[in-house]
Every structure is written in structure tokens, then in C-alpha cells.
Amino acid sequence: MRTISGLFGALVLALGVASCGGGGDATGTGGGGGGGGGGGGGTCPAGTFCMTATSFTPTTRTAAVGATVTWQNSSGVGHNVVWDDATAKAAAAAGDGTGDMPNFDTGMSHTRVFNTAGTYGFHCTIHAGMTGILTVQ
């Protein structure tokens, strides 16, 4: 029995090491990794919060006073963006609308302009724990 346990442990260790391998190519330079983000992977554009199935990516972003910030949903899942308090809601001035962003079907994006410095929290009421923070300076 001791031999079987030892062999099983060695097998688990070998599989773990193999699955964490580098994925190198024939030139020995290594391969590239995949991207994150919603929908098609990759990087979320500057000035944009992208939405995955259950999170904002990135979760925090900094923008300059007067900047237009975009929220983009490519996740295949419906979302909304609701400000955590009245100050944040008031600061989300006219982009393609003002304040909260209630309807975010996949493929949609919304913008807001921020003319007042501050730190503004927001969340999706459809998905618990889906939160973000925008800092305007």
C-alpha cells in the first residue's frame, strides 16, 4: 500500500510540473500567453472599464478631470453600472447620458464625462461582488 501511495504522489507531482511548463516553441524563445478581458480576450483600451461575465476589468482606473470614461460590455452577459452614492452619480456628467447606466446588453458601451475630482465607486446590481472604482484627479 505504501508503494501505491508513493507512486500516486509521484504521478500527481509529475502532472503538476508538466502542466505548469513554459510552452516554449522550436526556437527556444517561449510562447506568448493569452489575454484577459471580456469576450475576445486581450487588453481593455485606455480610459475604458471592460466587463467580463462577473467583473470590471480593470477594477480601478484613474482619469484626468474633464476626461471621458467608457464602460464596454463584450462579455455575452447583461450588466448595469450603478454609482455607490449620490456624489458619484452627480459627478457622472453627460457623455451619452448622465448618472447610472441601467442597460448594458452585450456589445453596448456607455460614456460619462467627469469634471469634478474625486474617487467614485460603482457596482453591477445584477452580479454580487462586481465592483469598480474610478479616481478622477
Side-chain angles (χ1 to χ4, degrees):
M1 185 68 169
R2 187 177 223 178
T3 303
I4 293 172
S5 295
L7 290 173
F8 181 72
L11 176 63
V12 170
L13 180 62
L15 288 173
V17 170
S19 68
C20 292
D25 57 19
T27 65
T29 60
T43 304
C44 192
T48 302
F49 285 98
C50 294
M51 298 173 187
T52 69
T54 58
S55 66
F56 294 102
T57 302
T59 56
T60 62
R61 197 171 273 293
T62 301
V65 170
T68 299
V69 179
T70 302
W71 283 260
Q72 178 181 331
N73 183 6
S74 302
S75 70
V77 178
H79 294 289
N80 61 24
V81 174
V82 177
W83 297 102
D84 290 351
D85 57 45
T87 301
K89 187 173 183 175
D96 63 355
T98 61
D100 294 339
M101 296 168 254
N103 179 19
F104 252 108
D105 291 331
T106 192
M108 293 180 74
S109 63
H110 290 294
T111 60
R112 297 293 184 266
V113 175
F114 293 85
N115 294 315
T116 305
T119 299
Y120 308 116
F122 56 90
H123 59 280
C124 174
T125 61
I126 300 168
H127 302 97
M130 186 172 171
T131 62
I133 297 174
L134 173 65
T135 301
V136 178
Q137 35 184 251

